Amino acid sequence: MQEGGYLGEISVHSMSLERYPVSVMKDKKRKEAVEQAARSIFSFCALTAFLGVLFITLYMMISGMPALFRVGLKEILLGRVWAPVGAEPEFGIFYIILTSLAGTGLALVIGVPTGILTSVFLAEAAGSPLAEIMKTAVELLACIPSVIYGLLGIYLLNPLMYKLELRLFAESGTHRFTGGANLLSAAIVLAVMILPTVINISEAAIRAVGPEIRAASLALGASRMQTVFKSVLPAAKPGIVTAVVLGMGRALGETFAITLVSGGSVNVPLPFHSVRFLTTAIVSEMGYAQGIHRQVLFTIGLILFLFIMGANMVLTRILKRGADLYG
């Protein structure tokens, strides 16, 4: 009985050894099939994204290029008079382009330092309970619809700007009062709107900096603030640059909020002038535009699209240099 039992155990083990390679092969084939399916899904998603960008680019070029040939590139880009429905239509968008650039730049000047310093506070100085409360507040800022920012700008910011305007230009005989709807109001609203993007991405970049950099700086005798501003922030530069460029893209593409607070007139982009951005020019006139007027609006959209594409290209180059430097 003992020998039979021993021989039975040997036969069972031999059968399991014979089946083992078969199960391994099945698992291997199953894993290969899953990997191939995942590769196919990812490739399809990547191809879809690429085709989406390609079709959008082609559509904007096809829709925006005809006006360049009919009106002229110089007349559109360098013209200073926007009168599309006049007896002699003029389609100069030079001031509109300058307004978008000036408004975005001013918003970055206000919002980027505020956002970066806030991210430094959250990542390096705030305790856990306070950091969680502030992060929740920042996330709520990101969830607020842009039209709400515009309404708050109309009823809260514009009256304050109008009081300031009255004080600054009380003795001016040439200033055209805007009621507070001006470039400065639009830039402040844009600065608030880009804060969540700048804060979240910058904080993640700061937290991703290795502890050895902080330890080395402190070991050399640097204070905590010196370590943050001279060691941690330079190491987090690629991520912070990403936050700035994404914030710039948000500011360039914003429409409804600045439509409500900017005034809507085509003027030289000075802080207390009523102005019109590229996006607001499209939204405010596309509903009734026809013919060459409509084509020029598509040209404005093409110019805005090229601005954002250029910002993304600059971002890619900066990140590549940062990766080479810190990698």
Side-chain angles (χ1 to χ4, degrees), residues 55-73 76-77 91 93 282 286 291-306:
F55 289 151
I56 291 174
T57 303
L58 291 176
Y59 179 79
M60 293 304 301
M61 293 184 66
I62 292 173
S63 301
M65 292 296 289
L68 294 177
F69 295 104
R70 292 183 61 181
V71 180
L73 179 63
I76 291 178
L77 295 183
F91 301 98
I93 63 172
I282 298 173
M286 184 60 77
I292 186 63
H293 182 193
R294 187 179 183 87
Q295 291 179 349
V296 173
L297 294 180
F298 274 106
T299 302
I300 294 176
L302 176 62
I303 293 171
L304 180 62
F305 180 73
L306 292 177

